[in-house]
Amino acid sequence: MAMAIIALTGVACGAAPALTPVTSEGLLERVREFRGRKAVVVHVWATWCAPCVKEFPEFVRMAQARADRIAVIFVSADFPKDADRVREFLAAQGVTRESYIKSESDQKFISALSDQWTGALPATFVFDTSGALVAFAEEALPEGGVSQYIEEVLNP
Amino acid sequence: MKLTYRMGATVLALSAAAFLAAGPAGAERMNKKAKGGAKASQQEELAIGSAAPMADRKMTDVSGKKLSLKSIAGPTGLLVVFSCNTCPFVLAWEDRYAQLAAQSAQAGVGMVLVNSNEGKRNGDDSLDAMKAHAKDREYAVPYLVDARSELADAFGASRTPHVFLFDRDLKLVYRGAIDDNSENAKKVKEDYVADAIGSLVAGEEVEIKTTRSIGCSIKRK
């Protein structure tokens, strides 16, 4: 049973996750791959971002609980030289599914994701099953309200 | 239906229609509407051409003086940098603050650093911590406390560092990042603020008026 849950959600404790450099183009392609199957939450965070670190476990729990309907893609905005720290954090949080680290200029990455995102972290983008961006949140979501927010924006 | 709202400093932007047929970058700006008791007002970034808000408001500097933006502005303009003591992106860009201060002074642009992190005012961003940081980093420009984050709210400043450059009439001519590479000054290709200041000095229109960069969110209360 435990193995089944891990396979479904990509969440488990201690295992080292893959961390792949990603551009906005690659990221949006990943989002499009889920079209017709799942809604997608793209969460941009960083290990140095205190609000990100604080709310991260909520996203992990949400990814686990809604894995049948929602894919959560974590994108670290840490500097590439800090990739090991990112991996350690992800492992400690129990994320085992492939995760990403931003690998292009801020301006290009930010602009491609939303014309409203100024670049502040954390940033959360919610795409529905058609691949449409239906919600964007800059800064942390209300404490304890991540799942509720995601459900609310996916089912307005 | 489209919906945008802010909870605290969180912008929630919702839209229900075809948004990502070719990626979200092409989406129109979303309408704003309050929902679930959230504040209806969204603090959008100050528009290019806008007058410097709260220019007469006096704020406490690390020197102990009370200074206003108007008193800091130079004959050519005013450079406002929302900053803080601990954000890694500030620390990464901070090695360029001194150069920017020197360039601003030479150009007749008054430069000021503003700390709006009211949420950390009892800790990392206390006035004492600001004084220590300014001394440690040898700041050559004022470093002001933005009580209740009111200046940040008025500017629509979202992150640190977040830069706003005004001309001699205190009209906004540039907002965004210092340059295009926070991590490495030697790899900068686009020196946004320096170029904009150069345009001000030359009496020319600033070419790149807005940019965006990853940064730490301003910690409002």
Side-chain angles (χ1 to χ4, degrees):
Chain A
M1 180 63 182
M3 285 297 287
I5 291 174
I6 291 167
L8 196 62
T9 63
V11 175
C13 285
L19 186 65
T20 306
V22 71
T23 61
S24 54
E25 191 180 335
L27 177 60
L28 292 172
E29 182 55 36
R30 288 288 294 129
V31 172
R32 282 191 280 270
E33 285 169 10
F34 286 99
R35 270 181 180 169
R37 295 189 292 126
K38 290 185 182 185
V40 180
V41 174
V42 172
H43 186 61
V44 188
W45 65 286
T47 56
W48 46 259
C49 162
C52 305
V53 169
K54 188 176 178 187
E55 75 172 351
F56 202 92
E58 273 200 67
F59 278 90
V60 175
R61 284 197 295 274
M62 195 267 295
Q64 191 170 20
R66 322 276 163 128
D68 57 333
R69 294 187 296 116
I70 301 171
V72 179
I73 299 175
F74 292 113
V75 182
S76 163
D78 286 83
F79 293 139
K81 65 181 173 59
D82 296 323
D84 285 345
R85 188 193 304 169
V86 175
R87 285 190 195 90
E88 284 169 20
F89 179 87
L90 290 169
Q93 292 288 326
V95 177
T96 56
R97 180 160 290 170
E98 183 178 28
S99 193
Y100 298 90
I101 185 165
K102 181 179 80 68
S103 68
E104 72 181 341
S105 74
D106 289 358
Q107 177 77 9
K108 193 172 177 188
F109 188 82
I110 293 167
S111 301
L113 276 171
S114 168
D115 65 351
Q116 290 207 327
W117 182 26
T118 69
L121 295 182
T124 301
F125 305 84
V126 183
F127 300 84
D128 67 15
T129 52
S130 74
L133 178 65
V134 294
F136 154 63
E138 189 168 34
E139 282 212 352
L141 296 172
E143 194 171 348
V146 169
S147 288
Q148 184 187 341
Y149 166 65
I150 302 298
E151 290 297 344
E152 228 176 70
V153 299
L154 286 173
N155 304 288
Chain B
M1 183 190 71
K2 295 177 178 179
L3 174 62
T4 299
Y5 65 104
R6 176 176 281 271
M7 297 171 73
T10 302
V11 179
L12 306 180
L14 317 179
S15 91
F19 201 89
L20 182 59
E28 298 298 321
R29 289 192 73 79
M30 300 171 186
N31 299 326
K32 303 179 197 79
K33 190 175 176 182
K35 183 186 177 185
K39 291 178 185 174
S41 61
Q42 181 190 347
Q43 291 144 350
E44 290 197 8
E45 291 176 285
L46 195 65
I48 297 298
S50 301
M54 305 178 78
D56 292 314
R57 180 204 196 204
K58 292 196 170 175
M59 294 174 278
T60 302
D61 179 38
V62 290
S63 66
K65 294 178 185 169
K66 298 272 191 182
L67 302 172
S68 68
L69 297 184
K70 200 171 269 182
S71 71
I72 294 167
T76 307
L78 169 71
L79 178 62
V80 180
V81 181
F82 288 88
S83 192
C84 68
N85 294 339
T86 59
C87 171
F89 276 76
V90 168
L91 302 182
W93 253 307
E94 208 171 26
D95 59 352
R96 282 154 266 182
Y97 278 11
Q99 187 184 337
L100 208 52
Q103 187 195 4
S104 297
Q106 192 174 7
V109 171
M111 177 176 167
V112 59
L113 304 169
V114 178
N115 187 315
S116 302
N117 277 0
E118 285 290 277
K120 297 171 79 176
R121 200 64 83 203
N122 293 323
D124 290 341
D125 288 298
S126 68
L127 179 57
D128 283 344
M130 286 172 60
K131 287 177 181 173
H133 190 75
K135 187 178 178 185
D136 182 54
R137 301 304 168 111
E138 300 179 336
Y139 283 171
V141 297
Y143 186 24
L144 306 180
V145 176
D146 175 19
R148 299 175 295 281
S149 308
E150 287 176 351
L151 197 73
D153 289 349
F155 276 65
S158 65
R159 63 191 185 277
T160 57
H162 197 167
V163 173
F164 296 78
L165 177 67
F166 297 87
D167 65 14
R168 68 184 65 195
D169 299 320
L170 296 188
K171 304 289 187 192
L172 187 67
V173 294
Y174 171 79
R175 65 154 204 262
I178 292 172
D179 56 49
D180 69 349
N181 196 319
S182 59
E183 194 179 8
N184 191 338
K186 291 176 183 168
K187 291 186 178 175
V188 169
K189 291 176 185 166
E190 297 275 1
D191 221 337
Y192 304 127
V193 174
D195 290 349
I197 289 174
S199 296
L200 281 185
V201 170
E204 296 169 354
E205 186 174 346
V206 173
E207 188 180 348
I208 299 176
K209 297 180 175 66
T210 64
T211 60
R212 291 182 279 178
S213 59
I214 298 285
C216 305
S217 56
I218 288 177
K219 307 299 184 292
R220 293 170 166 88
K221 251 185 181 172

